[in-house]
Amino acid sequence: MSRVVDRAGTWIGWALFADLLSAFTLTFGYMFSKPVTMQYPDKEKWLPYSRYRGHHFLKRDEEGEIKCVACELCARICPCDCIEVVPYEDEKGNRHPAKFEIDTARCLFCGLCEDACPADAIALGQQYEFSSFSSRDLVIGRDDLLGKPGKAMTGGGVVAARLNTEQDVLVETSEPHGYNWWRNIRRT
Amino acid sequence: MELLFALGLIAIKIALLIAMLLLLPLPLTWLERKIAGHMQQRMGPMRVGWHGLLQPVADGIKLLTKEDHIPAEADRFLFKLAPILALAPPFVVFVAIPFGETVSVLNAEITLYVSNLNVALLFVFAVIGLEVYGVIFGGWAANSKYAVLGSLRTCAQMISYEIPMGFAVIGVVMLAQSMSLVDIVRAQSDLWNIVYQPIGFFVFFVAGLAEAQRIPFDLAEAEGDLGAGFHTEYSGIRFALFMVSEYVIVLLVSVLSVILFFGGWNGILIPLPPLLWFALKVAFFIYVFMWFRFTLPRYRYDQLMAIGWKVLLPLSMANIIITGIAFT
Ligand code: SF4
Ligand code: SF4
């Protein structure tokens, strides 16, 4: 009995275009909901989460000395063989890298170097805009790595930004916190 | 002198009409992309001009400067002829379309139509039927399998949807006792035809969607299975002509819906200038066209045929009979 009623209901629905109507109300509702487009790069920019694995950076200790002890463990574990470390010994007899180069063109940003480091000297930071016209420019040396931005502190978000084409392709922003992008996602 | 004045007036009207029809696709493409974007929670064009308003101009310049490619195996004459054949009929049809009664400019009463044919409706359907030649020739001349499939489908689709469309408006003609579009609008000054002819409007609008090759009936250019259908091989300005023709037909079906079923320039409740009422109603129908496009999926080919012959044709005939019984 109930199946007959169900089927009759379906037919009445079809005859009155109930399915079409619900489709049209849905698209009409979407029409006036806020778009989720992030206007990268000239208006807005995404701030990564702290877990984000971007460009590498080298850390310094409290005295400002480079933390890396040039053990070459990161170079060993790297699946892409893209780290090259040449050690030297300073006056106090501590090992440090004389040369520390990462070929980011080959790197797959797996983060294994960060995990392997015994001195907590290398990590993958928040920078993700370093495209280049030449793969040579993507080999980053020790001093550049020391100056790279560290881990992100904010938990994701969208901030106002501005495209600066003079200094290569850099998307600048001055805001530390943005709005939560997920707030515009409709979940029905 | 009198004759010269009349001729000059007609020339001015035609020039205005052509300018309007050629320029109107520009805002319509912008609108279509904006509506598509917002229905999918995107923004649509944003970068060229304020909220992308100049995007159609940029697109037009791009299309004009693009290579006008003719495939090596194509039938060159038909290939060049097809876009013009697709574009001309929708333009010609507008000669018979009234946009209002009269306006007085400099103490002269000027009618808002080029000509008030007494068989305007017949003329409209006869001429718009010719548009299919452009599509068929375009697909055939390109000598490509996608294009031929697209135009084969168009052929079958146009034939099966023109018949219910023609039958659907007979009810309107019966009510107005005239085929002149101006008389049809005048006959609706008290009550719009939609009240008497809901079935007629339904059939007319669905067939109009098919006629304009819009989703859910855009099988001639089904992107998913045919590349781009009949205009797969077209590029540059010839492609643009096909696009303009498509938008003019959308405009035409909207205008016809308004004139035949929604009272033309007769307003209700709010007293606005008749021309504004007319424009508002047409704009609403254009919006409905776009709304349909971004809501519905495309019908399968056999479903399309089944709807045309098994649903719309009987419905339109029943509509004629009901109208005949009820209003005589
Ligand atoms: S992130 Fe992975 S691939 Fe990149 S340098 Fe570190 S270990 Fe090598
Ligand atoms: S970064 Fe860490 S793992 Fe790599 S050489 Fe320096 S101390 Fe060793």
Side-chain angles (χ1 to χ4, degrees):
Chain A
M1 183 63 208
S2 77
R3 262 188 74 187
V4 176
V5 173
D6 275 0
R7 204 175 295 162
T10 319
W11 275 102
I12 292 170
W14 277 350
L16 297 176
F17 298 102
D19 44 355
L20 281 189
L21 274 183
S22 69
F24 286 126
T25 44
L26 185 76
T27 42
F28 198 70
Y30 267 105
M31 170 106 195
F32 295 103
S33 64
K34 234 172 132 50
V36 295
T37 311
M38 195 191 306
Q39 298 195 61
Y40 183 81
D42 54 354
K43 294 237 178 72
E44 286 169 329
K45 171 178 175 168
W46 170 254
L47 288 182
Y49 291 100
S50 54
R51 60 171 182 262
Y52 184 79
R53 298 199 298 262
H55 200 298
H56 313 70
F57 64 100
L58 284 174
K59 299 178 190 169
R60 294 177 191 274
D61 57 17
E62 292 81 58
E63 282 108 61
E65 195 63 69
I66 184 165
K67 264 185 171 179
C68 175
V69 293
C71 65
E72 297 181 41
L73 276 179
C74 53
R76 269 299 167 86
I77 202 163
C78 177
C80 308
D81 194 18
C82 55
I83 305 184
E84 192 187 350
V85 187
V86 175
Y88 79 99
E89 225 167 81
D90 66 4
E91 314 82 63
K92 290 180 253 165
N94 296 332
R95 267 165 66 105
H96 286 302
K99 177 184 177 193
F100 193 106
E101 273 183 4
I102 299 182
D103 187 351
T104 46
R106 277 170 38 201
C107 173
L108 55 86
F109 300 95
C110 60
L112 281 178
C113 47
E114 177 178 350
D115 292 347
C117 181
D120 186 26
I122 191 169
L124 274 64
Q126 59 175 301
Q127 190 186 359
Y128 55 86
E129 289 142 346
F130 47 97
S131 52
S132 156
F133 287 109
S134 152
S135 60
R136 236 168 262 290
D137 297 343
L138 290 172
V139 181
I140 314 291
R142 184 191 66 181
D143 297 335
D144 284 342
L145 282 171
L146 281 167
K148 287 288 176 194
K151 291 269 184 206
M153 287 304 147
T154 51
V158 182
V159 291
R162 178 176 84 83
L163 183 67
N164 184 348
T165 36
E166 263 96 73
Q167 297 170 20
D168 295 334
V169 192
L170 256 183
V171 185
E172 289 180 337
T173 180
S174 49
E175 288 178 46
H177 299 282
Y179 71 82
N180 181 9
W181 180 76
W182 295 95
R183 75 178 184 195
N184 293 336
I185 302 289
R186 275 173 53 142
R187 296 186 183 84
T188 42
Chain B
M1 193 58 221
E2 197 80 339
L3 188 70
L4 215 62
F5 179 71
L7 275 181
L9 199 62
I10 287 181
I12 291 172
K13 276 184 196 168
I14 289 178
L16 273 178
L17 197 62
I18 290 176
M20 187 193 79
L21 292 180
L22 276 179
L23 288 181
L24 212 61
L26 293 182
L28 285 187
T29 50
W30 177 82
L31 205 66
E32 176 137 46
R33 292 174 63 180
K34 271 295 189 200
I35 290 175
H38 282 281
M39 281 191 179
Q40 296 159 3
Q41 284 202 301
R42 295 184 287 110
M43 284 176 160
M46 282 297 280
R47 297 299 157 93
V48 192
W50 185 79
H51 278 248
L53 261 178
L54 295 178
Q55 186 70 45
V57 181
D59 286 347
I61 293 170
K62 185 196 80 177
L63 281 175
L64 284 178
T65 51
K66 260 195 164 176
E67 183 192 359
D68 179 16
H69 179 70
I70 299 181
E73 296 291 310
D75 182 332
R76 298 179 70 88
F77 175 67
L78 279 187
F79 193 84
K80 286 180 184 164
L81 189 67
I84 300 163
L85 274 185
L87 190 64
F91 274 65
V92 172
V93 164
F94 271 89
V95 167
I97 301 274
F99 295 93
E101 290 277 2
T102 50
V103 287
S104 48
V105 183
L106 303 173
N107 293 328
E109 289 283 307
I110 292 174
T111 51
L112 281 173
Y113 38 82
V114 178
S115 71
N116 181 10
L117 296 179
N118 54 359
V119 287
L121 202 54
L122 206 58
F123 174 80
V124 166
F125 279 95
V127 174
I128 201 63
L130 294 177
E131 191 261 344
V132 71
Y133 280 108
V135 174
I136 292 173
F137 284 171
W140 178 256
N143 219 338
S144 132
K145 54 179 179 286
Y146 294 131
V148 170
L149 277 175
S151 44
L152 280 180
R153 287 178 175 190
T154 313
C155 212
Q157 182 179 337
M158 289 284 180
I159 289 169
S160 40
Y161 278 79
E162 227 145 69
I163 298 167
M165 197 166 176
F167 279 164
V169 297
I170 288 183
V172 175
V173 176
M174 287 160 93
L175 285 180
Q177 303 283 320
S178 164
M179 275 209 166
S180 151
L181 292 175
V182 180
D183 288 345
I184 288 177
V185 175
R186 280 181 194 145
Q188 299 176 66
S189 53
D190 297 327
L191 201 53
W192 297 355
N193 271 342
I194 180 73
V195 182
Y196 303 121
Q197 299 276 329
I199 306 175
F201 172 69
F202 172 76
V203 174
F204 177 84
F205 193 72
V206 174
L209 278 174
E211 195 79 350
Q213 309 271 346
R214 302 280 295 189
I215 282 177
F217 302 111
D218 72 331
L219 283 160
E221 42 187 293
E223 297 91 0
D225 36 345
L226 287 185
F230 65 90
H231 58 60
T232 309
E233 303 293 340
Y234 280 91
S235 62
I237 187 67
R238 293 184 212 281
F239 170 75
L241 290 185
F242 273 122
M243 286 325 270
V244 170
S245 133
E246 191 187 317
Y247 279 106
V248 173
I249 291 181
V250 168
L251 183 71
L252 177 71
V253 176
S254 310
V255 166
L256 279 182
S257 307
V258 171
I259 288 180
L260 296 178
F261 295 98
F262 282 83
W265 48 86
N266 295 315
I268 40 160
L269 301 179
I270 318 156
L272 290 174
L275 202 57
L276 190 62
W277 256 116
F278 189 70
L280 280 179
K281 289 184 203 169
V282 172
F284 171 75
F285 273 101
I286 289 174
Y287 176 76
V288 169
F289 263 94
M290 295 178 179
W291 190 7
F292 270 54
R293 170 160 179 191
F294 299 109
T295 304
L296 299 176
R298 184 178 296 124
Y299 278 109
R300 227 168 47 217
Y301 188 59
D302 57 325
Q303 292 171 331
L304 178 93
M305 284 296 152
I307 293 171
W309 291 106
K310 294 185 193 161
V311 180
L312 293 188
L313 192 59
L315 266 182
S316 58
M317 286 183 164
N319 184 48
I320 296 174
I321 294 170
I322 293 170
T323 316
I325 292 171
F327 295 98
T328 47

